[in-house]
Amino acid sequence: MTEPNVPGGPNGENAAQEEGISRRAVTRTAAWSVPVALAVAAAPLAAASPTGGTIVFDYPEYIVGPGMTYGSITGKVIPNVGTSLPATVTLTYPPGWSGPLTAGVDPVTGTFSLNGVVAPSSAGSGTLTASSSGFTPGTTTLTVALNPVPPATDGIVWGENLGTTLYRSGSVIQTYAVTPDNLNGPGTLGATSIIAMAGGYRDHNSYLIRSDNTLWSHGAGSNACAPGTNFMTAGIFGFGGASALLPGERFVDTVAFTGGGYVLTTHGRIFSWGFNTATGSLGNGTYGPDTNVPKVVLISGPDVFIKAISASYTGGIALDTKGRVWTWGINDQSDLGAGLSGNQSVMKPVILQDGTPLSGVSQIRGRFKGGLALRNGMVYSWGYGAGGMNANGSLSNQNYAAPVLTGPGTPLSGIAQLPKFYHEAYHSAALGSNNTVYTWGFGSYYVHSPASQANRQYAAPYAGTIPSGTIKEMAVSYYGVHVLLADGSVWNWGYGAYGQGADGTMTVYQRNPVRALSGPGSPIAAGGFFPNSHGGVFAHK
C-alpha cells in the first residue's frame, strides 16, 4: 500500500534512526549474545534482644506465584562475642509451605542458605522461622501472589490496519470502529474471547491474548511476531522448555515495543521476544540474538513480584507489588531513568534524583525513549526530553524520575490516572481527579490545542473542548489522544489520515474531538482501551 502523504513526526519520523538504531534494524537483524551478571541487594530483618546472638534473613519477604519453588532463601547467624556459631539452624514453615528442615551454617561467615522451598497453590503469606538453641530466632515472610486474569471481552478497533494488525479482515484503513474477527481468516476469532490486545509499530507487530490462554501476533512476520505470522495469518507463540508455563499459569497482559513484545502472567513472570541485538531488550541477561521464541525476563530479586508491564521504544517497564519500577533495554537517551549509562539487559530500578529507588507507584506507562509513573497523585517522568517530553521546563534528558511540572517548581498534582500508551508517543497526557485532561511534549497534530502545534515544556490543560461527561479512561497513539466517557462514547483528536477519528473520514487534522462511530450515525459504546499502535486504536467493549 502507498502510505498517505503525512507530515514527518516530531524532529522527523526517523527519530529512531537519529538515535543510532534504525527501526528496520530493530525489526529485522540478529546478532551475538553477551551474558550479564545479575546482583541483588540484601535487606536484613533481625529480631531484638539476643541471648547468644541473633539470626537474620537477608530479605524481610520472599515472594513467588502459586506452586512455585522459591530461589535461594539466605540469612546469617550473628553470634555475640565469645559465642560459637551453631552447625545448623532449624526451619519452621507456615502451614502449606514445605522445604528443608535444617540449613547448614558456614563456620566462618555464619551465613546459611536453603533451597527447594515450595509455595502452596493459593495466594497468601506466612512466617518462616530460623532458630538455634541459645539464639534469638530470625523470621521472614513467605508470600504467594497472583495477578488476576481480566474477563474476556470483544475488541473495538479502528485506524491503520497494515498487516492485519487490527485483527480485522479487509481494508488497510478502517475509518469506522470494527470488531476484531481475524486470526486465520474472517470469523476465526470468536466472540467474547479477548483477554488483552496491544498494538506495535505500523505493520510490524500487534498481539492478542485469547481466552484459551494462547498468545497470537499479526504483522509483517519478523522476529517481532510468532512463527508463521504473515500479512494475512496470525501466528501463535510457543512456550516450552525453559519458557514453559507452570501449572495454572495464565497470561494477563501484553505490550509491544518497536521490534518485539512482552507478556505478563498470573505468576508475576514476564516473557519477551523480538529485537535484542546490542540493546538487551529481552531482559534475559543477553544482548542478542533476536528471536521469536519467548524468553523469561530475569526478575531483580527474591522480594520482587511483577504486577504490571509497559514498554518504551525498545525496552521494558515493570511495576512490582511494592510500588517499585524496573526498566531494561536501550538506554542511549536516559531511557531507563536508572542513573546508568549504556543499554541494560537485566531490569534496573528507576531512581529519584537523590539516587533512591522510586517507590509507592500505582501506574506505569511507556513513551518514546522514556516512561511515566503515577505516585500519590503526581506524575513522574524520565528519559528523552526533546519537545518537552519530561515537562520540566527544558528539553533535556532525565536519567532519573522527577515530577512533571505545570510551571517552574510547581508539580502537576491531583492526577487520577495515566492513559493507555503507545510506546513511541512523543506527547503525554494525564487525567486529573477533577476530570481535567493535561497534556505536554511535542504538539504535532494539534494534540494540545485545536489552534496550535506548539510544543509544551510544562503540563497544561488541553486547550480544546471535550464533550461534557465524566472521563472514564484515556489513551494516546502516535498521532493523537483518545478519551472514553462514562456513557461509553469515545472521542478522538489529532492526525486523522489513517481513520483514527473513526468518524468515517480520513481528515488529515482532527483539530477538535470527533466521536467514534461504527457506521454512519452509529456511535460506539466502549468499556476501555488497550495499548495502541502507531496509527491504530485498540479498545474493548
Side-chain angles (χ1 to χ4, degrees):
M1 163 190 168
T2 302
E3 295 186 18
N5 183 20
V6 303
N11 287 344
E13 276 215 41
N14 292 323
Q17 177 67 50
E18 294 169 8
E19 307 310 331
I21 299 178
S22 68
R23 285 195 181 97
R24 188 158 189 86
V26 167
T27 57
R28 295 292 188 265
T29 59
W32 46 272
S33 64
V34 177
V36 173
L38 176 63
V40 294
L45 178 65
S49 303
T51 305
T54 59
I55 302 172
V56 297
F57 283 93
D58 289 338
Y59 286 85
E61 181 184 39
Y62 293 80
I63 182 169
V64 296
M68 292 178 65
T69 299
Y70 293 83
S72 293
I73 298 176
T74 56
K76 188 174 185 178
V77 180
I78 306 172
N80 289 336
V81 175
T83 302
S84 298
L85 286 166
T88 61
V89 292
T90 300
L91 303 163
T92 305
Y93 295 92
W97 279 260
S98 62
L101 298 180
T102 61
V105 177
D106 186 286
V108 177
T109 63
T111 58
F112 63 89
S113 177
L114 55 149
N115 295 286
V117 177
V118 179
S121 58
S122 58
S125 63
T127 301
L128 169 63
T129 302
S131 60
S132 183
S133 178
F135 287 80
T136 300
T139 62
T140 188
T141 300
L142 298 179
T143 298
V144 180
L146 184 70
N147 291 319
V149 179
T153 185
D154 287 313
I156 310 171
V157 294
W158 61 92
E160 188 176 46
N161 190 35
L162 296 173
T164 322
T165 46
L166 293 181
Y167 292 83
R168 175 71 182 199
S169 309
S171 174
V172 296
I173 294 179
Q174 298 285 342
T175 60
Y176 287 114
V178 294
T179 299
D181 68 349
N182 188 322
L183 289 179
N184 300 304
T188 55
L189 176 60
T192 320
S193 62
I194 298 172
I195 298 297
M197 298 180 73
Y201 176 69
R202 304 301 297 266
D203 66 337
H204 291 301
N205 55 322
S206 64
Y207 307 116
L208 183 148
I209 300 173
R210 199 166 68 171
S211 55
D212 62 356
N213 205 37
T214 54
L215 176 66
W216 299 76
S217 66
H218 255 308
S222 68
N223 281 320
C225 297
T229 304
N230 59 44
F231 280 93
M232 295 302 297
T233 301
I236 183 171
F237 286 98
F239 291 81
S243 296
L245 295 178
L246 302 170
E249 187 173 21
R250 297 184 62 83
F251 302 126
V252 299
D253 197 15
T254 184
V255 296
F257 63 87
T258 298
Y262 308 105
V263 66
L264 176 66
T265 77
T266 49
H267 289 44
R269 298 202 298 167
I270 307 169
F271 294 92
S272 60
W273 60 90
F275 185 76
N276 194 42
T277 302
T279 62
S281 306
L282 298 187
N284 68 337
T286 73
Y287 291 95
D290 306 340
T291 182
N292 58 11
V293 177
K295 304 298 182 183
V296 178
V297 174
L298 298 176
I299 300 300
S300 181
D303 65 340
V304 176
F305 186 91
I306 302 302
K307 69 175 186 178
I309 55 173
S310 190
S312 59
Y313 167 58
T314 314
I317 307 173
L319 176 65
D320 72 18
T321 51
K322 293 178 174 57
R324 298 170 298 191
V325 182
W326 306 88
T327 56
W328 64 93
I330 197 167
N331 191 40
D332 58 2
Q333 297 290 335
S334 300
D335 308 48
L336 305 184
L340 303 170
S341 60
N343 303 338
Q344 302 294 321
S345 65
V346 294
M347 58 173 61
K348 303 293 183 180
V350 173
I351 62 171
L352 299 170
Q353 189 172 11
D354 63 5
T356 59
L358 176 65
S359 62
V361 170
S362 57
Q363 289 184 351
I364 52 171
R365 298 290 186 265
R367 62 169 177 84
F368 182 69
K369 300 187 73 60
L372 303 168
L374 180 61
R375 183 174 82 159
N376 298 327
M378 293 172 57
V379 181
Y380 288 72
S381 178
W382 64 88
Y384 192 41
M389 286 191 284
N390 283 315
N392 60 5
S394 78
L395 307 179
S396 61
N397 299 343
Q398 203 160 261
N399 204 10
Y400 53 85
V404 164
L405 305 178
T406 58
T410 305
L412 175 64
S413 60
I415 298 302
Q417 63 173 262
L418 299 175
K420 292 297 174 67
F421 73 107
Y422 171 57
H423 67 278
E424 284 198 25
Y426 289 82
H427 59 282
S428 294
L431 177 62
S433 56
N434 61 357
N435 211 46
T436 299
V437 174
Y438 296 88
T439 63
W440 63 93
F442 280 96
S444 306
Y445 319 118
Y446 299 94
V447 293
H448 303 319
S449 167
S452 170
Q453 295 190 72
N455 302 336
R456 284 182 170 178
Q457 295 181 26
Y458 291 112
Y462 171 61
T465 300
I466 300 173
S468 60
T470 300
I471 298 174
K472 178 181 177 181
E473 198 168 289
M474 297 174 55
V476 297
S477 58
Y478 183 85
Y479 299 106
V481 180
H482 317 272
V483 298
L484 167 65
L485 300 186
D487 63 5
S489 64
V490 175
W491 300 83
N492 313 283
W493 67 90
Y495 189 70
Y498 298 132
Q500 297 98 313
D503 62 345
T505 76
M506 291 186 289
T507 303
V508 175
Y509 291 119
Q510 302 278 15
R511 296 195 182 198
N512 294 288
V514 296
R515 190 168 189 174
L517 309 173
S518 60
S522 300
I524 68 168
F529 290 110
F530 293 124
N532 290 326
S533 67
H534 198 80
V537 183
F538 290 67
H540 61 83
K541 294 183 179 178

